[in-house]
Amino acid sequence: MAGFLLHLSAPLQSWGGPADFKVRPTSTSPTRSALTGLLASALGRSRDHDNTDLARLRYVIRVDRPGHREMDFHTIGGGYPRELTPPTADGRRKKLGEGTMITERWYLADAAFTIAVTGPDDTAALAAHALTEPVFAPYLGRRSCPPDTPLLLRTDLDDPVAELDRAPLHADPPRNAATIDVTFIHDTPPAPGLPATTTVRDTPAPGRAFTTRDLWETQRTLPASLCAGRGTPWLNALITYAQTTPARETT
């Protein structure tokens, strides 16, 4: 199956998980529902579109920079007259004296991920093309989190997973080290019989519901020379990488 490399980097990202109104958490890596939503948005699809084709895509996430969680403190209300309070989903307004509501919005700061996307040739090509000319502006989990680098790194790859071992790392080079340990997150077993590391509930299902799936986390040692830094050095490394011959699929 063919595929492409997707890159997600921004000052802030937010990959939502199970939440209530008061606390909106973020996962430590992009969720399947968010990746499906990102591609569906680029294709111009509505919320109720049947994304059965996108469900056939598989992802291996390389964690270039894990980032760290940051909380954005929110208050709603604040003792204003009822006509000045925020309306609820059903059109009501908070009554005077109901008090200020406190909420927490969690974000993943300073993180970067390179993702190998594989699937049927037609679906992979459709998704990759949409990222070059997205119908709706892409964002990383929330509209307040636009990407700060190109989303699409490379297309028409026979083996995108193998490319993760040679694509530039969006990270600062380690000091006095020839290698760097990098985390990979797989949604299928990277080796036969390997037990799953964790189970998450992030697979879209009809009715805006979610089902569970297993994830496998591995560590690989890569050359420190792949670390391209940030800003202009990173973009220059991408230009050089785009001119190299991609790895071919092995049998």
Side-chain angles (χ1 to χ4, degrees):
M1 293 192 292
F4 57 92
L5 289 188
L6 173 67
H7 187 73
L8 304 179
S9 171
L12 293 175
Q13 307 178 34
S14 187
W15 309 112
D20 55 34
F21 182 80
K22 292 186 176 181
V23 181
R24 307 289 182 87
T26 179
S27 174
T28 55
S29 61
T31 60
R32 169 169 277 278
S33 59
L35 293 172
T36 300
L38 176 67
L39 298 176
S41 177
L43 287 162
R45 295 178 176 178
S46 63
R47 282 180 176 269
D48 57 356
H49 193 282
D50 180 6
N51 292 305
T52 304
D53 55 345
L54 299 181
R56 294 196 293 267
L57 296 175
R58 294 291 176 262
Y59 304 99
V60 177
I61 300 173
R62 188 186 71 183
V63 183
D64 292 11
R65 299 197 311 271
H68 59 277
R69 286 174 172 167
E70 293 279 357
M71 191 267 284
D72 188 13
F73 181 82
H74 280 250
T75 60
I76 298 176
Y80 288 106
R82 188 172 183 179
E83 65 271 14
L84 296 181
T85 59
T88 61
D90 60 4
R92 295 179 54 251
R93 291 186 182 272
K94 290 168 59 68
K95 296 179 181 179
L96 185 63
E98 285 185 340
T100 302
M101 185 172 292
I102 299 173
T103 68
E104 298 178 8
R105 310 290 177 92
W106 286 89
Y107 295 86
L108 194 60
D110 195 38
F113 306 95
T114 301
I115 304 174
V117 184
T118 57
D121 292 0
D122 56 344
T123 304
L126 180 70
H129 178 72
L131 293 173
T132 64
E133 299 180 6
V135 176
F136 300 115
Y139 53 86
L140 308 190
R142 291 188 185 143
R143 289 185 178 88
S144 59
C145 303
D148 63 3
T149 59
L151 290 177
L152 192 61
L153 296 192
R154 199 151 199 171
T155 61
D156 299 325
L157 294 170
D158 288 341
D159 192 350
V161 177
E163 283 297 306
L164 292 177
D165 286 346
R166 64 198 301 263
L169 278 157
H170 197 175
D172 297 320
R175 294 184 178 181
N176 304 318
T179 60
I180 182 172
D181 292 332
V182 180
T183 298
F184 290 75
I185 302 170
H186 314 251
D187 62 5
T188 57
L194 187 68
T197 305
T198 188
T199 299
V200 295
R201 188 177 184 85
D202 69 348
T203 302
R208 300 192 69 180
F210 299 91
T211 59
T212 59
R213 65 179 177 127
D214 292 333
L215 290 179
W216 289 261
E217 184 174 308
T218 62
Q219 294 278 331
R220 293 220 287 271
T221 300
L222 299 180
S225 58
L226 288 179
C227 296
R230 313 185 190 199
T232 300
W234 160 253
L235 295 176
N236 289 338
L238 289 186
I239 294 172
T240 301
Y241 170 67
Q243 297 171 344
T244 63
T245 302
R248 312 315 298 179
E249 187 173 12
T250 57
T251 58

